[in-house]
Structure formats: structure tokens, C-alpha cells
Amino acid sequence: MVPRYSRPDMTAIWEAEARFRIWFEIEAHATEALADLGVVPKKAADALWAWWATNPAIDVAAIDAIEAVTKHDVIAFLTWVAEQVGDEARFMHQGMTSSDVLDTCLAVQLAKASDLLIADIDALLVVLERRAREHKLTPTIGRSHGIHAEPVTFGLKLAQAHAEFARNRARLVAARADVATCAISGAVGTFANIDPRVEEHVAAKLGLSVEPVSTQVIPRDRHAMFFATLGVIASSIERLAIEIRHLQRTEVLEAEEYFSPGQKGSSAMPHKRNPVLTENLTGLARMVRGYVTPALENVALWHERDISHSSVERYIGPDATITLDFALARLTGVMDKLVVYPARMEKNLNKMGGLVHSQRVLLALTQAGVSREDSYRLVQRNAMKVWESDGELSLLELLKADSEVTAALSPAEIEDKFDLEYHLKHVDTIFARVFG
């Protein structure tokens, strides 16, 4: 993974030494269970744990050197452990196959990665709620198709993001449970040479559930759903990042990323303050989503097992989780320090001469007995004059001067439809739904 977009806790999960330590624990727990069943001597398991208790360093280079000869990573690891432990190590891997080690290890790694990602989302949710409550009643313009629509509040924008990431958290919790399964079932998954109780023992020790039917590998639909979930979370990151990028445009400038002392925006133009962090998040989201398709294609393996999925997962396991971990942390930082400009929001809200209140007048006319078609025509013809004047004209004044409109509504009734507070009356209801 690119160090620029990596954080140490997540990166550590995928380091070679960490992987080999998980492999050892799988083998040692399995040997322990076999000893309890009387299949191997108890002293074999004791020897493994005794060596482990010395907290030995894993010589990754030595294992790699053995693999260069054997062309098989699990055999290279077992050979190296046997050199350290001695004769009792011959009882390791009894009745097991390489996928038992590899798939169970991957399950442990993905579960650990999930725990960090869930914590990342929790941190983001805290910030989003705080900023949403801060701007609960800060009026701003809502846009559809990028065009002014009707008033909302900036707090509602952030409450929406909070609700979305709360859903993502639930999805990730479910995906973690789905992918955290253990398979110690031997060649083609029949348990012919190893008791299913060994699998149950290893699963319990590693905090995993038992895979009901593993063929010789854990079915990759589980992994596909996991990486698809990461892709959805990445898309939510991009959605919020794009919102900030749009709001930071010079013509809008309702909010912007924090610009720290000494920061430079351009090598050529000293005035520049660019949304570089959220642009970066858009790019990182593309990368995480890019790992979803290979995960989906991994589902279709030949018969009980092939290894076409293996090379894919060596990429996407570390890269997707490391990238998403970094992106979530970066987004949390952006939202924590986001600079918000309520006065600019108010200015933009009022920019188009009151057009944002057109629907209320339309509805009032229909309730006063005017057909919907005529009501729409009356409001639109005045609204277009305001639009074409770039907001220099006032919709309120034009409507009050339109005899067809005043035949149905009094000036006071028209003015009543231009009350901004009307649009905010259900903010508390929405906040209660989101935050409880």
C-alpha cells in the first residue's frame, strides 16, 4: 500500500510477521484440540506453546528463503517452525490443508480490520452529530440539479450524512460477522482426516464462527459482500466530499476545508485555497470501489477449490481496508475543522429575489380556488422575470402587482408565503429521527 495513504494500526494487521503469527496460532490451537482428542501427543501441543511463550521473532526472510525453494508458502512456514520447535512439530497440520490456514487467517485479519473501520465510523459519527447540532437552524439553500430549490439548514445536510454513515456502520457490523468464519475441514472440506471438533476449538479461540460448508475454501460470497460493503462506505465518503467541494467553489463559498497557517494552495497563484483533502477523498473512494469487482469475480471458483482468488485477495485485503481506514480518518478531520459561513449561506439563499418561495404561492393559489394549471402559470411567469433579471427583481413585489394573483390572494396573504421559518418547522422532527 502507498505509505502516504496508510495508518500504522491498520497496516500492522497485514504485515508478514503478523500474518505468520496468526498462522502459528491456528496451527497450535488445532494441535491442542487434536491432543485433547488423543490424535497427537499432548507434549506436541505443549512444545508449540512453550516455544511461543518465549515470544520469538518471526524470521520472515528465512521463511521467504525456504519458499523460494518449495514454491509453497504454508510448507515454508511449517518447515521454519519445525526448525525452531524440534521433533514435536511433526504433529502440526495433521489432517489439515493449506486453505484451512490461509482462509482462517484472512478471516482473522478482516475481522481485525473491521474493528478498526467500525471505530473510524464511530469517530466520524461523533463529529457529524456535533456539527449538525451546531448548525441545526443555520438556513441555507437546498439545491436540486445544482439549481436553487427551497431552503434547508446546514444541520440537516450533516444529519443526512450522519444517518447514512450510521447505516454504513450497521452494514459493516453485518459484513464482519459474515466474513469472520473459520474453516479447519481438510482436503475438499469433508473432515475425512480431521475431527470437526478441531474446527470448533480453533474458531472459539480466534473469536470466529464455524463455516457450515467450506468445500476446501470458505465460500467467497462472504468476502464479496464484505468488499462490496467497503465500496458502499467509500461512496458515502465521496458523496459528502463532493458536497464540501461544491460548497467551497468561489461562486458559492458556503463552507470550506480548514486552511492551516503556512499552507500553500498553488505553486503559481498565491491566493488559492483549494479543496485538496476532499478531492483526495474522491480519488481514494474510486480505489476502494475498484476492489469490489475482483471480489465479486472471486466467488466463482472451480469445483471444491482453485487459487484464482488468492492473488486477488493479497492485493485487495490490505489495500481496500488500509485505504478506507485512511479515508474515514481524513473525512473526520475535514468535518471536524470545516469552516462554515452562515452569512454567505444567507446571501446565497436570498440571491434570486425570493424564487425559493414559489411553491408556497402555487399551493396557496390552488387552495384559493385557482386551478393548478393556472396557478403554476401565474407564479412561473413572474418567477421567470426574476430569473432573467438575475435576482434584481423581487418575486414578492411582482406577485403583489399581478392582478390575476391578487384577485385570489391579498398582499398580506402573499407576504405570508415568503416566511423562511416555515421551511424549518420540522427540523426538530428530523433530528429526533436521526439522533433519537
Side-chain angles (χ1 to χ4, degrees):
M1 186 56 210
V2 180
R4 184 184 186 94
Y5 305 127
S6 306
R7 300 205 303 163
D9 286 351
M10 185 65 83
T11 301
I13 293 172
W14 301 102
E15 290 175 350
E17 182 169 351
R19 181 176 74 253
F20 288 138
R21 288 188 173 277
I22 298 170
W23 287 12
F24 178 85
E25 291 180 5
I26 294 167
E27 294 284 1
H29 285 309
T31 305
E32 181 178 71
L34 288 166
D36 291 342
L37 294 170
V39 177
V40 304
K42 185 176 184 303
K43 63 180 181 178
D46 291 343
L48 290 172
W49 288 122
W51 173 72
W52 193 245
T54 66
N55 196 28
I58 304 295
D59 192 338
V60 176
I63 297 171
D64 288 345
I66 298 170
E67 185 184 352
V69 177
T70 64
K71 305 297 191 292
H72 196 290
D73 53 357
V74 174
I75 291 175
F77 172 75
L78 294 171
T79 300
W80 180 81
V81 172
E83 291 173 355
Q84 316 309 308
V85 175
D87 183 61
E88 300 298 343
R90 73 183 189 275
F91 293 105
M92 279 195 305
H93 209 68
Q94 292 280 309
M96 295 170 60
T97 188
S98 297
S99 292
D100 292 335
V101 179
L102 298 173
D103 280 12
T104 300
C105 175
L106 180 59
V108 171
Q109 290 173 305
L110 292 178
K112 289 182 176 182
S114 297
D115 291 340
L116 291 181
L117 293 172
I118 290 168
D120 291 340
I121 294 176
D122 286 341
L124 175 59
L125 289 171
V126 169
V127 169
L128 288 174
E129 180 172 359
R130 175 172 59 81
R131 299 309 304 266
R133 292 189 183 280
E134 177 185 350
H135 292 286
K136 178 180 178 180
L137 295 176
T138 301
T140 190
I141 185 62
R143 298 172 174 89
S144 57
H145 305 276
I147 308 301
H148 281 206
E150 292 190 351
V152 297
T153 75
F154 193 62
L156 283 176
K157 286 178 177 279
L158 300 182
Q160 182 281 321
H162 185 284
E164 185 170 348
F165 278 100
R167 293 192 297 273
N168 282 328
R169 187 190 191 281
R171 292 180 183 119
L172 185 54
V173 168
R176 183 201 187 281
D178 208 33
V179 83
T181 61
C182 170
I184 308 290
S185 54
V188 300
T190 61
F191 297 101
N193 293 298
I194 193 164
D195 194 296
R197 287 173 289 181
V198 175
E199 182 181 67
E200 294 170 3
H201 177 82
V202 175
K205 290 293 185 180
L206 297 177
L208 304 174
S209 59
V210 168
E211 179 59 50
V213 182
S214 59
T215 68
Q216 186 164 314
V217 294
I218 293 174
R220 257 47 193 182
D221 63 287
R222 296 182 180 275
H223 304 75
M225 181 56 70
F226 179 84
F227 288 103
T229 299
L230 300 193
V232 172
I233 297 170
S235 291
S236 295
I237 291 173
E238 184 177 17
R239 179 181 183 183
L240 185 52
I242 285 180
E243 179 72 16
I244 301 306
R245 289 170 60 190
H246 280 310
L247 295 180
Q248 188 163 336
R249 286 180 297 133
T250 307
E251 296 81 2
V252 179
L253 201 56
E254 295 176 359
E256 68 172 339
E257 296 175 10
Y258 174 72
F259 197 81
S260 61
Q263 184 174 342
K264 304 292 187 284
S266 166
S267 63
M269 297 167 282
H271 71 277
K272 294 280 279 173
R273 289 161 66 123
N274 302 325
V276 292
L277 299 180
T278 45
E279 289 175 340
N280 170 251
L281 288 172
T282 296
L284 295 178
R286 292 171 184 167
M287 294 304 299
V288 176
R289 284 196 302 271
Y291 302 128
V292 177
T293 296
L296 293 170
E297 292 176 346
N298 275 355
V299 174
L301 302 178
W302 284 23
H303 305 300
E304 279 62 51
R305 187 221 183 189
D306 69 50
I307 64 165
S308 59
H309 64 287
S310 176
S311 56
V312 173
E313 288 167 356
R314 290 175 193 262
Y315 278 103
I316 69 175
D319 284 11
T321 55
I322 290 171
T323 304
L324 189 61
D325 171 62
F326 180 88
L328 284 166
R330 170 153 287 183
L331 180 60
T332 300
V334 168
M335 300 312 297
D336 181 50
K337 293 185 176 182
L338 187 71
V339 181
V340 180
Y341 299 113
R344 186 59 180 261
M345 291 179 178
E346 182 180 9
K347 180 179 179 181
N348 287 342
L349 181 61
N350 296 324
K351 181 178 181 181
M352 293 304 288
L355 291 183
V356 296
H357 302 290
S358 69
Q359 181 179 189
R360 288 203 69 200
V361 181
L362 165 67
L363 297 177
L365 286 169
T366 62
Q367 292 166 1
V370 182
S371 72
R372 182 174 179 85
E373 290 73 19
D374 284 342
S375 297
Y376 197 103
R377 175 180 57 81
L378 293 175
V379 177
Q380 187 183 45
R381 77 181 180 190
N382 288 286
M384 290 305 99
K385 294 176 184 178
V386 178
W387 184 281
E388 290 160 7
S389 75
D390 195 26
E392 291 298 320
L393 297 177
S394 164
L395 179 61
L396 173 60
E397 296 306 319
L398 289 174
L399 291 170
K400 287 163 64 176
D402 188 317
S403 59
E404 285 191 81
V405 174
T406 55
L409 298 174
S410 69
E413 289 174 322
I414 297 172
E415 289 176 4
D416 178 65
K417 306 311 173 190
F418 284 72
D419 178 16
L420 178 64
E421 293 301 315
Y422 174 87
H423 294 273
L424 312 184
K425 63 181 183 293
H426 292 305
V427 170
D428 283 339
T429 300
I430 299 171
F431 264 61
R433 289 178 173 182
V434 175
F435 302 114

